[in-house]
């Protein structure tokens, strides 16, 4: 069976104020063409279809167009919700849509109920594990403490239990939206760390033939059977070096996996440039970036006049301007933003405690802070669902 693995469409998302809906529509057209020309048997979409729980009408219309075009090809599609989606909203009408061959899996309670698609060698069972917010699903899975590894392990236990009841030789595919150990993140994914744990081990998914992951925006191979497709379009300058693609996966009769990357259309290349403004404006090496979307980091010791206007004369698609002045070694004048760069909410809070009290938090206090951040994250998820 030939699968096309994609994820993280983020329909409706902009790129530094640039409307990406046209590029997203071009990607949908590319996906449909690939399905038709490469004889794809099933499409799997591993979450974050939309960029927000309540998407704009234009994004919903594009999604509707994608569903119609996929259904017209008579090629089944299996799709899960991600942490940016509202699972309940995305799942509305799932039963009716399923009759057209578009199978939406958005409920935690259904992780052990597969979509069965046959080929000439037998059945392939597709299990959808939507984004599982631990605080909201721990009771469903009977885990004592909310945590991503615990709820994913419990969900996979249900998958393996169901798979054991299937005829011998049934192959299996799991769709999951999670941060799995070994994956490289970018700046454009929403943090889903819970309980201080930001990732789960790939071994959680042992026992199935292929795992189609979503959430991280870079295409990655964790093992031959566990892969991220990545987002089809860039959503931050941290993705400058990404090769945006989908996975074309041939699942053999014996469950073997052969995968090929299918490149996605590039609306405009990304570039990060750095240096003093006057140098950037004349450096011949920068000519290759003149038509790119540009993030410029200026290192001038003193902020130059009208930097964005001057940059745009040579780089008309400059979208982001960062100042990082050159300073002498030991210069203490470091910006607040630079002090916080790369630090998560927990670390920032612990540093604040140390700053005001003179000593950092003890283990009990760290647990209180961690529980507070987890509670806020769960509350935000609930608010998005009921909004």
């Amino acid at each position: 069976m030939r699968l096309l693995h994609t994820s993280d469409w983020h329909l409706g998302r902009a790129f530094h104020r640039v409307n990406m809906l046209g590029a997203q529509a071009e990607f949908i057209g590319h996906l449909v063409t690939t399905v038709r020309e490469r004889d794809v048997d099933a499409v799997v979409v591993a979450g974050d279809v939309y960029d927000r729980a309540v998407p704009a009408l234009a994004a919903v219309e594009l999604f509707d167009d994608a569903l119609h075009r996929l259904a017209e090809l008579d090629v089944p599609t299996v799709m899960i919700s991600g942490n940016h989606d509202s699972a309940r909203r995305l799942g509305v009408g799932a039963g009716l849509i399923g009759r057209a061959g578009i199978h939406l899996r958005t409920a935690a309670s259904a992780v052990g109920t597969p979509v069965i698609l046959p080929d000439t060698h037998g059945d392939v069972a597709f299990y959808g594990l939507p984004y599982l917010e631990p605080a909201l699903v721990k009771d469903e899975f009977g885990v004592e403490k909310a945590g991503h590894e615990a709820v994913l392990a419990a969900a996979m236990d249900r998958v393996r239990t169901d798979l054991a009841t299937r005829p011998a030789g049934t192959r299996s595919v799991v769709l999951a939206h999670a941060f799995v150990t070994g994956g490289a993140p970018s700046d454009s994914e929403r943090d889903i760390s819970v309980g201080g744990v930001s990732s789960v081990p790939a071994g959680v998914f042992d026992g199935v033939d292929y795992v189609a992951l979503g959430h991280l925006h870079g295409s990655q191979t964790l093992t031959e059977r566990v892969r991220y497709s990545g987002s089809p379009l860039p959503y931050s300058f941290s993705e400058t070096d990404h090769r945006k693609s989908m996975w074309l996966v041939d699942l053999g009769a014996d469950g073997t996996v052969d995968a090929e990357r299918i490149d996605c259309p590039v609306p405009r290349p990304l570039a990060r440039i750095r240096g003093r403004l006057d140098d950037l404006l004349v450096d011949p090496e920068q000519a290759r970036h003149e038509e790119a979307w540009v993030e410029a980091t200026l290192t001038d010791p003193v902020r130059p006049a009208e930097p964005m206007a001057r940059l745009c004369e040579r780089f008309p698609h400059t979208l982001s301007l960062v100042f990082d002045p050159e300073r002498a070694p030991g210069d203490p004048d470091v910006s607040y933003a630079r002090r916080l760069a790369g630090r998560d909410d927990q670390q920032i809070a612990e540093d604040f405690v140390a700053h005001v009290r003179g000593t950092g938090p003890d283990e009990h206090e760290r647990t209180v802070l961690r529980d507070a951040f987890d509670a806020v994250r769960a509350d935000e998820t609930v608010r998005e669902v009921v909004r």
Side-chain angles (χ1 to χ4, degrees):
M1 182 173 287
R2 174 164 286 184
L3 317 174
L4 187 62
H5 168 199
T6 177
S7 72
D8 295 272
W9 295 355
H10 289 279
L11 299 182
R13 186 166 185 165
F15 180 73
H16 288 269
R17 305 179 307 279
V18 174
N19 188 321
M20 296 291 278
L21 209 62
Q24 290 169 341
E26 184 179 0
F27 160 70
I28 295 298
H30 170 68
L31 181 146
V32 170
T33 298
T34 301
V35 170
R36 183 175 58 250
E37 294 183 350
R38 297 301 298 269
D39 297 321
V40 171
D41 298 305
V43 177
V44 293
V45 186
D48 279 355
V49 174
Y50 292 120
D51 188 57
R52 60 184 64 182
V54 185
L57 178 59
V60 177
E61 290 175 338
L62 180 55
F63 179 58
D64 181 63
D65 177 65
L67 294 187
H68 278 85
R69 295 174 71 178
L70 288 168
E72 287 171 0
L73 293 174
D74 199 26
V75 174
T77 297
V78 185
M79 185 178 295
I80 62 172
S81 51
N83 60 305
H84 280 251
D85 300 308
S86 165
R88 292 179 64 184
R89 281 189 172 85
L90 188 64
V92 169
L96 185 61
I97 295 171
R99 298 180 187 179
I102 309 293
H103 306 279
L104 299 173
R105 290 293 182 266
T106 63
S109 58
V111 296
T113 303
V115 176
I116 302 296
L117 301 178
D119 67 6
T120 55
H121 303 290
D123 288 343
V124 180
F126 290 78
Y127 297 90
L129 277 59
Y131 171 65
L132 301 172
E133 176 61 50
L136 301 183
V137 302
K138 64 184 182 70
D139 292 338
E140 167 66 33
F141 291 110
V143 298
E144 293 184 4
K145 186 175 181 180
H148 281 297
E149 184 173 351
V151 297
L152 277 171
M156 282 303 301
D157 285 342
R158 292 191 186 182
V159 168
R160 285 184 283 265
T161 297
D162 180 84
L163 189 57
T165 69
R166 302 288 166 182
T170 299
R171 290 154 292 160
S172 53
V173 174
V174 165
L175 291 74
H177 197 86
F179 186 178
V180 179
T181 303
S186 64
D187 292 342
S188 53
E189 299 114 7
R190 180 187 298 169
D191 177 41
I192 59 173
S193 62
V194 169
V197 178
S198 60
S199 63
V200 298
V204 164
F205 299 103
D206 286 350
V208 297
D209 293 309
Y210 184 71
V211 181
L213 293 174
H215 179 57
L216 300 185
H217 287 186
S219 178
Q220 301 169 61
T221 300
L222 304 187
T223 74
E224 285 303 306
R225 298 184 182 275
V226 182
R227 299 170 186 264
Y228 281 100
S229 67
S231 62
L233 293 165
Y235 294 111
S236 74
F237 278 101
S238 65
E239 301 171 51
T240 297
D241 296 328
H242 286 189
R243 173 187 164 193
K244 296 302 183 181
S245 58
M246 304 176 286
W247 285 112
L248 189 67
V249 178
D250 285 324
L251 188 62
D254 58 354
T256 55
V257 170
D258 184 23
E260 173 190 351
R261 287 179 74 175
I262 305 294
D263 290 328
C264 294
V266 178
R268 190 179 294 279
L270 306 186
R272 278 177 153 170
I273 61 176
R274 180 184 179 89
R276 296 193 177 197
L277 178 57
D278 288 341
D279 294 338
L280 292 176
L281 294 179
V282 298
D283 184 357
E285 286 294 316
Q286 305 298 339
R288 57 198 172 100
H289 301 315
E290 290 176 355
E291 295 304 316
W293 280 323
V294 168
E295 178 183 75
T297 299
L298 300 185
T299 61
D300 301 70
V302 177
R303 184 173 301 207
E306 300 183 328
M308 180 62 88
R310 294 171 64 191
L311 276 168
C312 286
E313 290 178 1
R314 184 179 188 188
F315 309 102
H317 305 288
T318 300
L319 300 180
S320 175
L321 185 57
V322 180
F323 292 96
D324 186 16
E326 296 170 351
R327 299 189 184 282
D331 189 333
D333 188 11
V334 179
S335 72
Y336 181 69
R338 288 184 62 190
R339 293 200 302 272
L340 298 186
R343 307 181 70 77
D344 60 27
D345 292 340
Q346 179 84 14
Q347 293 169 320
I348 293 169
E350 291 181 12
D351 287 349
F352 178 76
V353 172
H355 173 72
V356 298
R357 195 172 64 184
T359 60
D362 59 27
E363 190 56 40
H364 171 70
E365 291 168 330
R366 290 191 185 96
T367 300
V368 171
L369 288 170
R370 193 157 47 237
D371 290 346
F373 284 122
D374 290 350
V376 169
R377 188 183 354 261
D379 182 65
E380 288 176 346
T381 301
V382 171
R383 289 173 182 271
E384 285 190 344
V385 168
V386 302
R387 187 182 301 163

